[in-house]
Amino acid sequence: MTQPASPAQQDAPIIDPKSTPDSGGWRRPLGLRLDVRNLSLLGVLAVLIAVGGITKPDAFLATSNLQLVLTQASVIGVVTVGMTFVITSGGIDLSVGAIVALSSVWATTLATQEYGFAGILFTAVIVGLGCGLVNGMLIAYGGMVPFIATLAMLASARGLALQITDGKTQMVTVNSVLDLGVRDAYILGIPPLVLVFAAVTVVGWLLLNRTTFGRRTVAVGGNAEAARLAGIDVRRQRLYLYLLSGLCCGIAAFMLIVLAGSGQNTNGNLYELDAIAAAIIGGTLLSGGRGTIVGSVLGVLVFTTITNIFALNNLESAVQQIAKGAIIVAAVLVQHRTLRGSDH
């Protein structure tokens, strides 16, 4: 017999209590859910910090290195927030890395830089939104499978980025953009890009967990037909989600321009894989119906920390990839075990 829903479950922004975004087992006094998956990721992150502190204490624990880790996590983190929404809805976006590349090179052309800071930011965001719009129209109204549509966008965006740059690096000459990446721009020791990432994360969490948009996203991912019968415009919702993913890519492209001081057609390489992996190990179901912004952010921090530790210890990138793969497999196994336990 099904137990009646608790008040906490009734407040959850979804149809099925088992599919709540950022769902967990118990609550803190302040009402924040403690998620077993998130606690596990925090444990993994703590172990990694301990390993870094033991192997390279002076380098890893230095304030400048910790700022670097957070800054590097910020760019892929913003992309991952958008990816989390798409996966929660039952979709996938393989084009995020290519969209970041296209947005960054289009925003750093000489013609664009003539308009200064506003021109670069506006162009990066608009190009990201434009690519997201194309993806959304093809998938929602064109009936294309998300895998195929975004794969086509990946190839097209990469090709266009290469054509724009002719394989060359486009240097940024707008000082107001470059100044955001210097230490003097840090606010209380926090790089501006980290603050942007934090803002995007907070907005993403509120959007997924506290709005009708979030409820509809989870409902579409859990059962699109049931969502349609419940009165949700599934096609329009999917369009909005890919627009959101494109917006996050545009923001990330501008952040990458600030970080690198240039635009290159190779920007965002393998971002799609990193974003999907971070979302999955964070607890977002690849089949849709459940998503967690907090878990995705923790997943990004875990992967970025691994990369940093391996770089400081001069270990081969091949070993780094093996370690990432092992973490993904372990996270998925834990996820499946948790789901089986919740069904009993």
Side-chain angles (χ1 to χ4, degrees):
M1 178 181 291
T2 303
Q3 296 292 330
S6 66
Q9 290 173 324
Q10 292 173 354
D11 292 339
I14 52 158
I15 296 174
D16 182 1
K18 291 183 180 180
S19 303
T20 54
D22 291 320
S23 59
W26 58 90
R27 291 173 176 265
R28 290 179 178 176
L30 294 179
L32 297 176
R33 294 186 180 92
L34 283 176
D35 194 317
V36 175
R37 292 179 303 273
N38 292 344
L39 289 175
S40 300
L41 283 174
L42 281 173
V44 171
L45 189 59
V47 170
L48 289 173
I49 292 175
V51 171
I54 293 172
T55 57
K56 291 288 183 178
D58 295 334
F60 180 78
L61 297 177
T63 301
S64 58
N65 184 63
L66 296 179
Q67 291 171 334
L68 175 62
V69 171
L70 290 175
T71 302
Q72 291 176 337
S74 297
V75 180
I76 184 62
V78 170
V79 175
T80 303
V81 170
M83 181 69 78
T84 300
F85 277 89
V86 171
I87 296 178
T88 301
S89 72
I92 198 73
D93 192 347
L94 301 179
S95 63
V96 291
I99 294 176
V100 169
L102 180 59
S103 299
S104 68
V105 300
W106 206 322
T108 54
T109 59
L110 293 176
T112 302
Q113 292 194 52
E114 290 181 358
Y115 294 93
F117 184 99
I120 294 176
L121 176 59
F122 178 79
T123 302
V125 170
I126 286 298
V127 172
L129 281 171
C131 292
L133 176 63
V134 173
N135 279 337
M137 291 297 293
L138 290 175
I139 294 167
Y141 295 97
M144 291 187 67
V145 177
F147 182 91
I148 299 300
T150 57
L151 185 63
M153 175 59 72
L154 183 156
S156 301
R158 283 288 179 194
L160 184 55
L162 178 61
Q163 186 176 35
I164 291 175
T165 61
D166 195 24
K168 301 175 182 177
T169 300
Q170 298 178 164
M171 302 304 298
V172 176
T173 58
V174 180
N175 291 329
S176 57
V177 173
L178 298 175
D179 288 344
L180 289 177
V182 301
R183 191 167 299 276
D184 290 341
Y186 290 8
I187 302 174
L188 299 177
I190 303 175
L193 299 188
V194 177
L195 296 177
V196 173
F197 176 36
V200 172
T201 298
V202 171
V203 172
W205 187 90
L206 291 173
L207 193 61
L208 184 59
N209 293 276
R210 293 293 183 266
T211 66
T212 302
F213 184 86
R215 295 187 185 96
R216 291 173 177 172
T217 299
V218 178
V220 169
N223 190 321
E225 182 60 20
R228 185 186 67 81
L229 294 175
I232 297 175
D233 190 332
V234 175
R235 293 190 298 179
R236 184 172 62 185
Q237 184 69 18
R238 285 175 173 161
L239 173 62
Y240 288 161
L241 288 165
Y242 282 95
L243 277 172
L244 178 60
S245 179
L247 173 62
C248 288
C249 289
I251 296 173
F254 179 78
M255 295 169 69
L256 195 58
I257 291 170
V258 172
L259 188 62
S262 64
Q264 304 177 54
N265 67 286
T266 56
N267 282 345
N269 187 36
L270 297 181
Y271 272 21
E272 56 277 359
L273 300 183
D274 289 342
I276 293 171
I280 291 174
I281 72 167
T284 299
L285 287 181
L286 190 57
S287 57
R290 188 182 72 198
T292 160
I293 298 297
V294 174
S296 295
V297 170
L298 290 175
V300 170
L301 292 175
V302 166
F303 281 143
T304 307
T305 304
I306 290 175
T307 301
N308 183 259
I309 292 174
F310 275 66
L312 291 177
N313 287 276
N314 297 318
L315 297 176
E316 296 181 1
S317 59
V319 181
Q320 174 184 322
Q321 298 301 323
I322 293 173
K324 285 185 177 181
I327 290 176
I328 294 172
V329 171
V332 172
L333 290 177
V334 170
Q335 186 181 88
H336 287 172
R337 186 173 180 177
T338 302
L339 287 174
R340 286 203 306 268
S342 67
D343 290 335
H344 295 293

